Amino acid sequence: MGKRGRPCRISDEQRSALVAIVEANPTATLAEIRRELERQTGIEAHGQTIQKALKEAGIQRQVGGDGLCVEVAGSEAPRYGYTDAHRRLEPEQTYPSCLTDAEWALVEDLFDSAGGRGTPPRYARRLLVDACCYVVRTGSAWRMLPKDFPRWQNVYRTFRCGSEQGRFEQMHDRLRGQWREREGRNEVPSAAVLDAQSTRSSPQGGERGDDAGKKIKGRKRHLVVDTLGLLLAVSVTAASVQDRDGAHPVIAQAMAKYPSVETVFVDSAYAGQCAQTVSQVHGIQVQVVRHPANKNVGRWAHPEQADLFTVQADATGFVVLPKRWVVERTHAWNERARRLVMHHDRLTEVSEAWVWLTEGRILLRRLTT
């Protein structure tokens, strides 16, 4: 006696594509799998139809358990922290945060407008930029700048003019393209990663709020980076702004500059309506990367091939999530600049300018080391 009921609309070729989608993202929900299958093959399959096809392929959803491979990835833990390269002090540097001759040569034309109209500058542009780098690296107050630099009023005015004119962003964009070329990548990215970080704010005032989840009163820094962890767009809001609400402005900013981006990786905070809206508005694929031990969604697994979708943990049990760790590392890079550990500025655009300067300073050191 043959099978009864409506025949399955998924062919063998489409079933192979379905299995590939699940293998690429084993923690995806049925709705996410259905949308991705429709994007790749053009068919609109029901969730039960997809579940039936996966079951025939031997893949079922598992809820509960850690879903991890307990094998240790390495016996010796890598060393982290500052090295001699971070503490270098060349003869032309007054402080380790100052630019070297090689670094200044890469960005001189962006800041030094020699030959322009008006009164010649009283202070060298390089000295003013060095003062800005000193403030962002040490977290010093403007009024407490060392005597080796010009008056703090001149330095602050230079920083505000540079941030309003987008010079720090232009500096970073130029250096990012050079570094991507050195790494053998295209100058413009095709994939990006989005994440937000809540940081405390000082009593200086300005826009701020309470992040109930992180129990932090301050601001939230939304970053879009490429797969190398290099900054594409940044937006600073009050910490009370939900991740899903702050995603739209920063994604729009990134897509306006880099329409070549086709895929954006996000965490579970952006899942649901936010991911669908971003995907429809900008015409990109939004892939949610969840923890393999997520008990709310579970994960797809093959009972006969238990190690098909496993993730290796390190000696401490920490699991590196695909793509998401890139933007987390960028947040860690930024916090090496003590000015970014806490928000001391009233204006959010000033906080964004500090991020561009910090990231550009990192790339300057990479390109000249």
Side-chain angles (χ1 to χ4, degrees), residues 18 21-22 28-37 50 300:
L18 179 62
I21 293 173
V22 175
T29 62
L30 278 174
E32 294 170 353
I33 295 175
R34 179 173 56 82
R35 289 194 298 269
E36 180 61 18
L37 182 65
I50 294 177
W300 300 96

Side-chain angles (χ1 to χ4, degrees), residues 174-216:
R174 172 192 295 183
L175 299 175
R176 186 191 61 250
Q178 296 178 7
W179 182 255
R180 287 183 61 88
E181 182 179 357
R182 176 179 294 190
E183 292 294 312
R185 305 292 186 91
N186 293 330
E187 185 177 355
V188 291
S190 60
V193 191
L194 168 65
D195 191 34
Q197 179 191 45
S198 296
T199 311
R200 295 181 300 124
S201 61
S202 67
Q204 183 71 16
E207 183 180 358
R208 59 179 176 176
D210 293 328
D211 186 341
K214 302 293 180 61
K215 301 185 184 304
I216 293 177

